[in-house]
Amino acid sequence: MQGALKGVKVLDLSRVLAGPLGTMLLADLGAEVVRVEQPGGSDDIRHWWPFAGEESTYYLSANRNKKSITLNLKSERGRSLFEDMVQKADVVVENFKAGTLARLGLSYEHLTSINSKIILCSVTGYGQDGPYHKQPGYDPVIQAVAGLMDVTGEADGEATRVGTPVVDIMTSHYVCISILAALRSRDESGKGQHIDLSLLDVQVSSLANIASSYLMNGHVSKRAGNAHGNITPYETFLCRDKPLMIAAGNDRMFAALCNVIGQESLAEDPRFRTNADRIAHRGELRAILESVFKTERADAWAEKLAANQVPCGPVNNIEQVFQHDQVKHRDMVVEHSHSSLGMYKGVRNPILSDGNALDVNSAPPTLGEHTTSFLSEWFNFDQKTIDDLKKEGII
């Protein structure tokens, strides 16, 4: 799998997260991904706090293994240069508002007239058509509109967004998956295609059992905090120092839990014998378990429960995550030299192939870091030509 996409050229016009994370996955797999931004920068994520030196840590999270060039697509010369790039490329990824690329004179129809094999992946909040297609779509807005917030949060509290931009992250995976499928299709047909990815569509599709329960049964799921609506105990319990997540998904696990905490009789109590019984008496069971779990630290309970095959884990903060023995064992942190920071640290791609992680060949690039080398390599431009383009504000 290492370098599986070697030779695939991707022009990345996308900004912020869903698009850049998707193209980073392609870059991790060996594709040559070239970020294209306006001179001076056009990606808001570069300005998002906190910073390492002058680099946004948010930006650093989504752009390793890429090149960065600047190009003024609002100028005739800049568009002409981009068209020359399209002739040599396999994929273009963009996440402008629907219709923006066409207004720049770079519609899919125009791109295919230049390169019939080009694959265009367009990422928007609501898709390329429909009554909402012109509205901007940001992750928390889509979490709200597409139902995720309504089922997240305490039962008696307000709807709550997920702590990470999960819609952007899920969409980035579909960016990668759809482009891989389009490349495979092109191998057979010789033709490219236009991929229309919507954050709204991705979030609605991710509702999984919540959607199925409504579509097949008319059931409208409600917020339940950290509890599971259909299984218990499947929730957090406060221990002496911090919360512990318990996921006792069947009767055997519940019996094992009861044995560990010294409450063996609970497993035979008519109120708690089956999951249906436990759901019916959820409040009574929770009160009993809470009183027991408060007597020890979360890590101590987790060790005992795990030894008896009860799924559980303490609620760790981010510092504790990277101190976790298994996270360290799996070498989840990668490092690479960085042109301005000295050293870049990030989270590795989770894929292991034959026991090997995917390479980090380069740290996230600074703005326009590769403009000169890219134009020299792709078009054999000499330094005078490059200097003239800079003077004209094209790059």
Side-chain angles (χ1 to χ4, degrees), residues 70-368:
T70 55
L71 184 66
N72 186 356
L73 294 177
K74 296 179 180 178
S75 69
E76 185 175 345
R77 177 65 172 131
R79 287 192 297 274
S80 177
L81 260 177
F82 185 74
E83 290 170 350
D84 293 341
M85 294 176 195
V86 170
Q87 286 184 333
K88 297 174 177 286
D90 299 285
V91 179
V92 175
V93 178
E94 60 96 6
N95 63 349
F96 299 120
K97 291 180 184 178
T100 299
L101 210 59
R103 287 194 295 274
L104 288 170
L106 298 170
S107 66
Y108 175 63
E109 291 71 25
H110 182 64
L111 297 183
T112 55
S113 72
I114 299 168
N115 179 355
S116 63
K117 295 183 177 181
I118 198 70
I119 295 164
L120 174 63
C121 180
S122 297
V123 183
T124 56
Y126 296 95
Q128 296 296 307
D129 50 32
Y132 282 71
H133 81 282
K134 292 186 178 181
Q135 293 196 18
Y138 281 68
D139 179 281
V141 177
I142 300 300
Q143 287 194 38
V145 172
L148 180 58
M149 282 180 62
D150 187 59
V151 294
T152 307
E154 294 299 325
D156 57 352
E158 65 177 345
T160 306
R161 76 171 181 86
V162 179
T164 60
V166 289
V167 186
D168 280 340
I169 294 167
M170 289 187 293
T171 302
S172 75
H173 296 167
Y174 283 104
V175 168
C176 183
I177 292 167
S178 62
I179 288 172
L180 292 176
L183 288 168
R184 180 69 178 97
S185 177
R186 192 187 68 177
D187 288 343
E188 297 186 342
S189 69
K191 296 181 179 179
Q193 55 188 281
H194 187 188
I195 299 164
D196 173 7
L197 276 177
S198 152
L199 270 66
L200 179 75
D201 296 352
V202 169
Q203 177 49 56
V204 171
S205 73
S206 78
L207 290 172
N209 60 298
I210 301 290
S212 182
S213 295
Y214 171 72
L215 294 173
M216 297 301 296
N217 181 264
H219 175 72
V220 177
S221 298
K222 300 297 183 182
R223 291 189 293 281
N226 292 321
H228 195 293
N230 310 107
I231 310 169
T232 195
Y234 207 99
E235 57 199 291
T236 54
F237 294 91
L238 184 61
C239 300
R240 185 187 297 172
D241 56 344
K242 60 182 178 179
L244 175 72
M245 172 58 78
I246 303 287
N250 58 41
D251 295 341
R252 182 205 64 77
M253 292 177 183
F254 177 65
L257 182 153
C258 294
N259 288 334
V260 168
I261 66 174
Q263 299 286 327
E264 294 87 347
S265 62
L266 291 179
E268 297 302 322
D269 190 313
R271 296 173 296 171
F272 312 131
R273 188 173 291 127
T274 68
N275 183 64
D277 297 329
R278 294 191 289 276
I279 290 290
H281 299 275
R282 183 194 294 268
E284 297 165 72
L285 178 59
R286 179 169 178 83
I288 295 170
L289 296 180
E290 276 188 321
S291 65
V292 176
F293 282 118
K294 286 180 181 178
T295 62
E296 284 201 49
R297 293 179 301 105
D299 286 340
W301 281 125
E303 184 177 349
K304 295 176 184 178
L305 290 166
N308 285 269
Q309 303 299 304
V310 179
C312 65
V315 177
N316 290 327
N317 63 31
I318 192 64
E319 182 178 16
Q320 292 164 334
V321 169
F322 286 105
Q323 292 174 348
H324 194 283
D325 289 342
Q326 188 67 12
V327 173
K328 291 193 288 188
H329 173 80
R330 299 287 287 182
D331 292 324
M332 289 304 298
V333 177
V334 292
E335 297 183 357
H336 199 281
S337 59
H338 188 278
S339 59
S340 67
L341 299 176
M343 183 61 66
Y344 151 80
K345 286 186 178 182
V347 179
R348 72 165 174 83
N349 189 301
I351 296 171
L352 290 179
S353 178
D354 292 333
N356 298 312
L358 301 178
D359 288 339
V360 176
N361 297 308
S362 61
T366 56
L367 179 64

Side-chain angles (χ1 to χ4, degrees), residues 39-56:
S42 52
D43 191 347
D44 290 343
I45 200 174
R46 290 184 178 276
H47 310 294
W48 290 2
W49 180 89
F51 294 88
E54 296 184 356
E55 298 295 319
S56 163

